[in-house]
Amino acid sequence: MGKAYLFAPGPTPIPPEVLLAMGRPIIHHRTPQFRRLFKEVREGLKYVFQTEQPVIVLASSGTGAMEAAVSNLFSPGDEAVVVRGGKFGERWGEICEAFGVRTVNIDVEWGKAVDPQDVERALKTHSRVKAVMWQASETSTGVMHPTKELGTLCQRYGALSVVDGITAIGVFDVPMDKWGLDVVVSGSQKAFMLPPGLAFIALSEKAWSSVERAKCPRYYFDLAKERSSQEKGDTAYTPAVSMIMGLKVSLELIREEGLPNVFARHAVLARAARESMVALGLELLAPESPSDAVTAVKVPPGVDGAAIVSTMRERYGITIAGGQSRLKGKIFRLSHMGYISKADMILAIGVVEVALRELGFEVELGRGVAKAQEVLFGS
Ligand SMILES: *Cc1c(COP(=O)(O)O)cnc(C)c1O
């Protein structure tokens, strides 16, 4: 029997009502019908991003919105501070490099959150810096960076805050307008409970005025052009119509549950994951500032890290993620983002125990599950 479960930090499971919506006959995008749908979606996105600004929808994976942020905000030769505490932090740096934006890198040990003082020091010593770029949730290490504090620093030093919220938006509270964040990006295959293929980006008024002056080359990801089309209910190019039909439903699900409840659910699932892994005698990669999207667990000595992932997937149909680049084989990552229930967590944790035991790590079966039951369902 091939029943499969996703506990990877993207793609995440998709609710059946979203799948059904995407399976409906496609509609044409230059019609009143699509414009009505898109208007609703744009309102729903504002709710989830917690902003009054338009949230631009792009047909790409999340990285497309990251690239759009760089190419639309900067001119070649501009300077940006980049927090590099994992694979996605490095990606900000790589995109900047591709567009000729100079970076002041703040290298953070993988598994740790950035110290705002280090960012402040960089802002003090580099007066030309135009923006600071970081991940609200660094998915490769399971770390939450201090977005509120960094946003405040950016305001104090007159730099734009550019936040990769791809595994933060819809997971934990990142109120864009309230915290005065300038750019927030996200993507469909994480907490939005959709397949990969849509990216989202919202800009503050200050960021929009930078867009007018920025000279980096761009064509497909021209945010000013998209904004003027999308305000009219259109998109500059053919939109991913079926995915937008699904997005309407997933946004309704988020609104029905209510953002505070969505955040509380992720928080308790994440706590269950962390505490159960510790109860099994495992060590967390990011115990101090963990993200509620994904839990990164150190592979215990003597166990083959890649085998934990493949055993769970091939024998038991449960897909978790391994480590990326320098963390390859050293960690496994259990995601609890998106369409995941308390009962789902019990299942995943139970199978982690079984896989670890099969690979020669001594575990008392049920110990992690019992801890998770306690956290999730009370004593
Ligand atoms: C998934 C993810 C991305 C985007 O990756 P894509 O493969 O382009 O969708 C970017 N940043 C973070 C933190 C992510 O988790």
Side-chain angles (χ1 to χ4, degrees), residues 316-328:
Y316 305 109
I318 294 200
T319 297
I320 60 167
Q324 295 165 289
S325 69
R326 75 179 78 157
L327 287 173
K328 211 178 179 100

Side-chain angles (χ1 to χ4, degrees), residues 9 61-64 66 88 91 135 137-140 164 166-167 189-190:
S61 80
T63 307
M66 294 173 75
F88 294 104
R91 187 167 298 175
Q135 273 57 43
S137 165
E138 172 52 79
T139 318
S140 63
D164 171 354
I166 295 185
T167 58
Q189 80 274 28
K190 313 279 174 118

Side-chain angles (χ1 to χ4, degrees), residues 50-96:
Q50 303 187 70
T51 184
E52 291 304 315
Q53 297 297 328
V55 181
I56 305 296
V57 180
L58 302 168
S60 75
S61 80
T63 307
M66 294 173 75
E67 175 167 327
V70 172
S71 66
N72 284 266
L73 287 174
F74 298 114
S75 300
D78 278 349
E79 218 167 73
V81 168
V82 175
V83 174
R84 296 199 305 183
K87 186 173 173 246
F88 294 104
E90 289 182 345
R91 187 167 298 175
W92 272 138
E94 287 159 12
I95 299 170
C96 284

